[in-house]
Amino acid sequence: MLKITSGVDIVHIAEIKGNIEKHGERYLKRAFSLREIAYCDSKPNRYQHYAVRIAAKEAVMKAVKTGWNNGVQWKNIEIVKNRDGTPALSFSGKIKDILDESGFNNHDISLSHNQEYAVAFAIFYQEMITGIAADTAASLLK
């Protein structure tokens, strides 16, 4: 059996550009890791890359169903790259604790953007073996 949760978000790139232009470093440091800032700033269309990361962070929050009221900060969700160049997620702080407790250790993220919009789809899943999580079952077999 497979337990799944997902979230999707779409962002208007002009809105993110406006936030960055209005609030500058304060906004960037509140929403993004230093690695994300370096990556986005290295791109000629940097606002698209910032926007798609905001969409991804929102999609994760929807999938995990925590919202921003549970002590989760934007920077706790980081969009990184796998060795093959595909996007991946890295977690820290409260969101990592929430995910560890939920058992949703498996996840994937899909990102896309054009000149106007950025969209992200996040999926989290937990394999179940006759009603218990696969990692719990594995530990019982040791």
Side-chain angles (χ1 to χ4, degrees):
M1 185 161 97
L2 190 65
K3 185 177 174 184
I4 299 173
T5 186
S6 64
V8 65
D9 196 65
I10 186 167
V11 172
H12 193 237
I13 294 168
E15 180 182 341
I16 302 306
K17 179 181 179 185
N19 287 340
I20 292 169
E21 289 175 347
K22 181 177 180 180
H23 302 288
E25 275 304 296
R26 194 178 93 212
Y27 177 82
L28 292 175
K29 288 183 177 180
R30 194 177 112 233
F32 304 100
S33 70
L34 294 176
R35 185 167 36 178
E36 287 174 310
I37 293 169
Y39 175 81
C40 294
D41 284 348
S42 75
K43 301 295 182 182
N45 51 359
R46 70 187 198 126
Y47 297 114
Q48 291 175 353
H49 293 276
Y50 279 120
V52 82
R53 279 158 179 72
I54 290 293
K57 294 167 191 261
E58 291 281 355
V60 166
M61 296 306 300
K62 290 174 181 176
V64 179
K65 297 170 181 47
T66 61
W68 299 110
N69 297 328
N70 292 318
V72 176
Q73 299 175 5
W74 292 78
K75 287 170 56 169
N76 294 150
I77 304 164
E78 184 181 17
I79 292 69
V80 297
K81 292 236 178 215
N82 285 318
R83 287 189 179 109
D84 64 2
T86 59
L89 297 167
S90 178
F91 304 104
S92 62
K94 185 68 173 173
I95 188 78
K96 185 175 183 333
D97 296 340
I98 291 168
L99 286 168
D100 288 346
E101 288 174 21
S102 74
F104 283 113
N105 299 337
N106 301 303
H107 53 269
D108 203 358
I109 188 81
S110 180
L111 311 176
S112 186
H113 52 78
N114 64 18
Q115 297 299 320
E116 288 188 62
Y117 294 98
V119 65
F121 177 77
I123 186 167
F124 290 79
Y125 59 96
Q126 176 187 64
E127 291 185 48
M128 304 292 283
I129 299 173
T130 60
I132 61 172
D135 58 343
T136 302
S139 69
L140 294 173
L141 296 174
K142 290 182 180 178

